[in-house]
Amino acid sequence: MANIRPFCMPKWGIEMTEGTIAEWMVKEGEAFSKGQVLCLIETAKITNEVEAEYDAVLKRLLTPASEEAHPVGALLAVFADADTSDAEIEEFIAGFKPAETSVAAKGGGSAPAAATATPAAVAPAPAREPKKIVTNRAISPEALKLAEAEGVDIEPIEGSGRNGRITYQDVVQALRPERALSFNGSAQLVEDSPEAFASPLARRIAAQHGIALAGIKGTGARGRISKADVLALVKPTMAAAPAFGAPFELVSNQPQVQPFDKVRKVVARRLTEAKQTIPHFYLRVSAAVDELMALRKTANLVLGAKASINDYIVKAVALALVRHPDVNVQVHGDSVHSFPHADVAIAVASPKGLVTPIVRQADRMHIAQIAATTRALIDKAQAGKLGYEDMDGGTFSVSNLGMFGIEQFDAIINPPQGAILAVGGANRVAVEADNGDIAFETRIQLTMSVDHRAIDGAAGAQFLQTLKGLLEAPEGLFA
Amino acid sequence: MAKMMYRDAVVSTIAEEMERDENVVCLGEDIVGGMGTPGGPEAIGGIWSTSTGLFGKFGADRVIDTPISESAIMGAAAGLALSGKRPIAELMFADFIGVSLDQIWNQIAKFRYMFGGKTKCPAVIRMAYGAGYNAAAQHSQAVHQILTGMPGLKVVMPTTPADVKGLLRTAIRDDDPVIFLEHKALYGVSGEVPDDPDYMIPFGHARLSRAGQDVTIVSTGLLLGFCEAVADKLAAEGIGCDVIDLRTTSPLDEETILDSVEVTGRLVVVDEAPPRCSLGADICALVAEKAFASLKAPPLSVNPPHTPIPFARELESAYLPSVDKIEAAVRKVLSYR
């Protein structure tokens, strides 16, 4: 049994209609095993890894990684057992009918054919037919196969093989985009000195560190002083401070070029889009949190909960959102979606970059439940295991940089959400007490970035009033 | 420091060494050049003027004019070396090596090894090689790839007058046979030469003539100057080339090449010999094997085409690796993606 199975564009959320393959981790013809990451798929909202659900071989890769979006249900690749013949695969592709797609919770694989509430009428993307190349150019068989599969025009290629024959490497080069190169430039040339038998690099390093070569015993070829011999004498300490009044010397300051990885690219693109296209306005307020801090201490003891100040802020935000439905919104093009409950996202720094998992219906949760939920989401984010379902949707984000001593900052809205709250650290500030004396209290600064397309200034301000009230009289958070 | 021509560096080094050690003798065709008129204008000293004045200084016992028989010259050099002399044999054109190959390859190169180290063979065999002189296919070849592949021989290819001085002195004092290749297009090139009568450059010790961090260019002889021109042109664009003058192809300074490629990740070898089984191919293979992890582009060797050297001036300049061809090759490895 050949066990041929299709791999289609998964449907990860009710609003997902199409996706883009950012990268394949498995090559055509390669075997993979259950749990291995097959590819990286980008949607309008997130980038997610697709894990294999079973062991098989990637027999045919129909849609290579590109900027092109493919509809949900489109056939992306064909998996089968290793011994499956090409003819069987071709037959399967020819006869393939896309299944009705339901929401897949985890990655792709063969989407189960189940009726969905909103059947998406999706035509499969036509598989790329290898384009037959007729040429009298000399070209290696593998190079021709690759050029046909990828649709490479071989005519402009200058073959590097014998008599201009095109090699596989030449076609791979033609497929790669031109890179902007950065050069490191010239280096200092250290003159050969007859008294020291040393390699050029050893001489250069010696000159850099002010080491005299005369007395060194070389361990290199033919008793020559090598790089290693000089480096052994370079003290690993800091270079001595230049004498007072010595002229300032410029040292090499070449950049290290690190191209964005896939995830960083997506984050960069979406933040740029958000900042450029959403008309942000900012509302600032500060709240006294002495009572909240005292209450948190007591509550943690009484409830045995490990809730952080941020958990209380999430709870307060959720309650305030429910009381102000005009702020509890998502903005989609020219319509506004408002929700009865508050799904609040929290910004978490993960090894893969900034992620915003969501505490669902935080308004209905008890503080201990919020604490448990945020803990679980943060752990998942740190492990790089957050899935689409953890990050999809939400109407509002809370971003807290208080732990780094930041007093206040302005955050960028996470579309399609309507607003984001930037929370600073708690500070002791002097205030006028009731009797006219000076007293000290602990305050935090809150800055809300608001999407002016859907939320007006007054609505945002009233929401913040409610939020401030909830934080300053925190017993309401246990309602 | 004195300024002198490449050819004068050869003559003066031989003279200094003959002065220092009475066992040093010279032999070759026409090296007396104008017998009986020592130092006179007719005494040209070989067709390259690389033994001018030696006959007048050292006489017929130590400066030996030979018949036109390369096998005899090399055979005599082998015998002289075995019997305690230090012969410097001139072959005139390197292309004539064919008729004396048995003496060089099967005798001189193998004596010390086959006699179990009980004797040595300190012969220096000088020859003029290289194209660019419009001397046609039998008088223009670069023979280093043949000789470098022979175990038992040391092969030297100086580029500057100072290197002639330091390397020829090392060759004469070396107890093993040394092939000393002089590029005929460089004889008239001048440069500063150290005055130290003991100035020596150890074999297997390459010279860095330009320092950069983006591409390693390895060459020798006439073509090294072309590589330097390319390096200077690219330096203006912020591209840094390490230009390595090998000086000796056997022993080969692997360490300097690999150290450089570990920094630059790119290699272009510029070699005057034909491409098949060439020095360029050898160094590309070395780097592919021992610096694979550092490479950012395939290593490249620039050679003439695999043909005899043409006589016509235009064809000869099309045959040799030119500055433009070297620059194109360097840009090719720089733009590899």
Side-chain angles (χ1 to χ4, degrees):
Chain A
M1 181 59 213
N3 221 350
I4 304 177
R5 287 182 268 195
F7 171 62
C8 306
M9 180 59 72
K11 187 167 176 65
W12 283 330
I14 204 79
E15 286 159 13
M16 176 170 168
T17 56
E18 56 180 22
T20 306
I21 299 205
E23 190 180 0
W24 279 98
M25 279 51 169
V26 180
K27 288 195 211 42
E28 193 168 275
E30 230 174 69
F32 54 83
S33 44
K34 186 173 182 231
Q36 194 178 330
V37 175
L38 297 173
C39 63
L40 206 59
I41 292 185
E42 252 179 64
T43 72
K45 294 175 183 167
I46 63 151
T47 304
N48 206 12
E49 291 170 341
V50 178
E51 287 180 11
E53 296 174 358
Y54 43 80
D55 300 6
V57 174
L58 203 175
K59 279 304 235 189
R60 189 61 53 85
L61 203 159
L62 298 168
T63 43
S66 70
E67 299 290 306
E68 210 181 320
H70 300 278
V72 167
L75 184 62
L76 305 176
V78 180
F79 303 154
D81 292 346
D83 54 10
T84 315
S85 72
D86 278 6
E88 284 173 291
I89 299 282
E90 293 298 344
E91 193 185 342
F92 176 85
I93 293 170
F96 177 76
K97 294 263 193 305
E100 289 287 9
T101 46
S102 63
V103 176
K106 212 184 131 68
S110 41
T116 55
T118 50
V122 180
R128 189 208 286 276
E129 278 296 317
K131 204 168 103 243
K132 195 90 193 100
I133 295 178
V134 180
T135 181
N136 46 16
R137 293 284 305 271
I139 180 166
S140 86
E142 279 302 310
L144 183 65
K145 211 187 289 177
L146 179 67
E148 287 180 339
E150 298 291 344
V152 177
D153 178 13
I154 63 165
E155 289 313 320
I157 297 179
E158 195 184 328
S160 67
R162 193 163 60 95
N163 298 332
R165 184 175 189 251
I166 298 169
T167 65
Y168 185 83
Q169 180 171 287
D170 295 334
V171 178
V172 170
Q173 282 287 296
L175 276 168
R176 286 189 189 153
E178 279 213 41
R179 277 186 311 166
L181 287 162
S182 62
F183 295 111
N184 299 321
S186 300
Q188 176 202 10
L189 187 62
V190 181
E191 279 310 313
D192 214 334
S193 56
E195 61 276 1
F197 180 37
S199 78
L201 191 62
R203 280 200 302 273
R204 204 187 296 174
I205 295 168
Q208 276 168 359
H209 294 280
I211 290 171
L213 291 170
I216 303 177
K217 192 170 165 0
T219 60
R222 297 170 296 282
R224 178 160 65 162
I225 299 165
S226 70
K227 177 174 64 171
D229 298 332
V230 177
L231 284 175
L233 297 175
V234 175
K235 295 200 172 44
T237 52
M238 289 284 291
F244 187 75
F248 178 72
E249 292 280 350
L250 283 175
V251 297
S252 157
N253 188 18
Q254 293 294 346
Q256 273 225 315
V257 180
Q258 180 69 47
F260 279 176
D261 62 25
K262 300 275 180 202
V263 173
R264 172 63 52 186
K265 259 190 207 154
V266 176
V267 168
R269 197 188 67 230
R270 296 184 50 218
L271 285 173
T272 307
E273 233 167 69
K275 189 74 180 176
Q276 287 182 344
T277 62
I278 297 173
H280 288 60
F281 72 93
Y282 304 95
L283 299 169
R284 298 181 214 290
V285 72
S286 74
V289 290
D290 295 281
E291 281 189 52
L292 175 60
M293 288 166 106
L295 184 103
R296 168 179 166 255
K297 236 185 201 151
T298 318
N300 280 357
L301 282 174
V302 173
L303 302 170
K306 282 271 184 290
S308 64
I309 287 289
N310 205 56
D311 293 335
Y312 283 92
I313 294 172
V314 169
K315 173 75 182 174
V317 161
L319 289 177
L321 282 171
V322 176
R323 288 184 213 169
H324 297 268
D326 47 359
V327 177
N328 189 24
V329 295
Q330 289 179 351
V331 190
H332 291 275
D334 45 15
S335 61
V336 173
H337 301 195
S338 54
F339 294 82
H341 293 290
D343 290 351
V344 180
I346 50 172
V348 180
S350 85
K352 286 188 178 177
L354 175 71
V355 289
T356 49
I358 293 171
V359 184
R360 306 252 173 224
Q361 307 193 7
D363 58 298
R364 295 179 53 240
M365 280 191 185
H366 192 274
I367 193 70
Q369 293 167 319
I370 290 185
T373 308
T374 57
R375 184 71 269 158
L377 289 173
I378 289 168
D379 288 346
K380 228 169 156 181
Q382 305 287 17
K385 290 259 182 275
L386 283 176
Y388 185 86
E389 66 284 0
D390 296 316
M391 294 188 269
D392 182 32
T395 55
F396 194 101
S397 294
V398 174
S399 179
N400 189 334
L401 292 176
M403 64 292 272
F404 301 109
I406 296 295
E407 293 178 3
Q408 59 165 316
F409 65 105
D410 299 349
I412 299 176
I413 295 169
N414 191 8
Q417 299 170 0
I420 184 166
L421 187 73
V423 183
N427 267 332
R428 298 289 291 165
V429 291
V431 292
E432 188 184 353
D434 293 341
N435 58 5
D437 279 357
I438 291 178
F440 284 88
E441 61 183 19
T442 310
R443 302 190 75 86
I444 53 171
Q445 310 254 20
L446 305 171
T447 303
M448 183 162 78
S449 314
V450 189
D451 185 340
H452 212 322
R453 291 174 304 175
I455 305 168
D456 289 335
Q462 284 159 353
F463 166 86
L464 273 185
Q465 265 184 324
T466 305
L467 180 66
K468 179 181 164 115
L470 283 164
L471 292 173
E472 293 190 335
E475 53 279 5
L477 298 179
F478 288 88
Chain B
M1 290 292 240
K3 207 170 166 76
M4 63 171 72
M5 278 191 214
Y6 189 95
R7 74 158 49 89
D8 299 333
V10 175
V11 183
S12 62
T13 310
I14 295 174
E16 285 159 16
E17 288 303 295
M18 287 179 82
E19 200 77 67
R20 190 186 59 83
D21 180 352
E22 60 179 17
N23 289 318
V24 179
V25 298
C26 289
L27 63 161
E29 295 158 10
D30 259 348
I31 63 165
V32 168
M35 176 100 86
T37 52
E42 316 87 305
I44 58 164
I47 66 156
W48 307 115
S49 296
T50 49
S51 47
T52 314
L54 294 179
F55 179 75
K57 237 184 235 151
F58 301 104
D61 288 349
R62 295 182 66 197
V63 182
I64 305 156
D65 237 344
T66 65
I68 301 182
S69 166
E70 284 76 15
S71 8
I73 300 169
M74 293 310 146
L80 284 163
L82 284 184
S83 49
K85 295 289 180 196
R86 290 186 170 270
I88 303 172
E90 183 181 294
L91 188 69
M92 199 182 279
F93 282 92
D95 314 65
F96 307 158
I97 197 170
V99 283
S100 58
L101 205 54
D102 185 68
Q103 284 73 14
I104 295 173
W105 182 35
N106 275 329
Q107 312 306 332
I108 291 173
K110 296 178 170 62
F111 280 150
R112 196 171 188 178
Y113 179 81
M114 292 183 76
F115 296 153
K118 291 196 178 80
T119 186
K120 54 193 192 200
C121 186
V124 176
I125 300 162
R126 293 178 41 243
M127 50 189 98
Y129 78 100
Y133 235 72
N134 197 223
Q138 298 157 322
H139 295 79
S140 302
Q141 295 166 91
V143 296
H144 57 274
Q145 80 184 63
I146 304 171
L147 294 156
T148 302
M150 294 180 186
L153 297 176
K154 293 173 179 173
V155 182
V156 183
M157 302 178 78
T159 303
T160 65
D163 278 9
V164 167
K165 196 100 190 153
L167 292 165
L168 185 53
R169 202 187 307 281
T170 305
I172 295 168
R173 296 187 191 184
D174 197 287
D175 282 344
D176 285 313
V178 178
I179 307 285
F180 199 81
L181 296 166
E182 297 156 18
H183 200 293
K184 61 175 79 81
L186 294 175
Y187 276 134
V189 171
S190 295
E192 296 285 338
V193 174
D195 302 322
D196 177 7
D198 285 324
Y199 176 63
M200 288 168 72
I201 297 169
F203 291 162
H205 186 182
R207 179 175 69 100
L208 196 63
S209 77
R210 295 288 186 277
Q213 301 168 88
D214 299 312
V215 59
T216 301
I217 308 177
V218 177
S219 190
T220 168
L222 173 70
L223 301 181
L224 191 93
F226 297 4
C227 298
E228 288 171 340
V230 171
D232 293 342
K233 180 175 177 188
L234 294 178
E237 296 176 28
I239 300 167
C241 307
D242 254 358
V243 179
I244 295 173
D245 178 1
L246 284 177
R247 286 176 166 163
T248 60
T249 58
S250 179
L252 179 69
D253 186 356
E254 290 189 11
E255 189 182 14
T256 293
I257 298 167
L258 295 172
D259 278 353
S260 173
V261 172
E262 281 167 17
V263 173
T264 63
R266 304 179 182 99
L267 172 77
V268 175
V269 190
V270 182
D271 182 13
E272 200 179 320
R276 297 298 323 283
C277 305
S278 65
L279 178 72
D282 186 55
I283 292 170
C284 286
L286 164 84
V287 162
E289 181 188 341
K290 296 184 181 172
F292 184 72
S294 311
L295 284 174
K296 297 173 186 157
L300 205 61
S301 178
V302 182
N303 299 73
H306 203 74
T307 69
I309 300 161
F311 185 26
R313 210 172 279 284
E314 296 76 6
L315 287 177
E316 190 186 38
S317 38
Y319 169 92
L320 269 181
S322 61
V323 171
D324 289 347
K325 281 184 203 156
I326 296 166
E327 185 188 339
V330 172
R331 289 194 188 276
K332 188 174 170 183
V333 299
L334 286 169
S335 64
Y336 188 83
R337 32 203 200 211

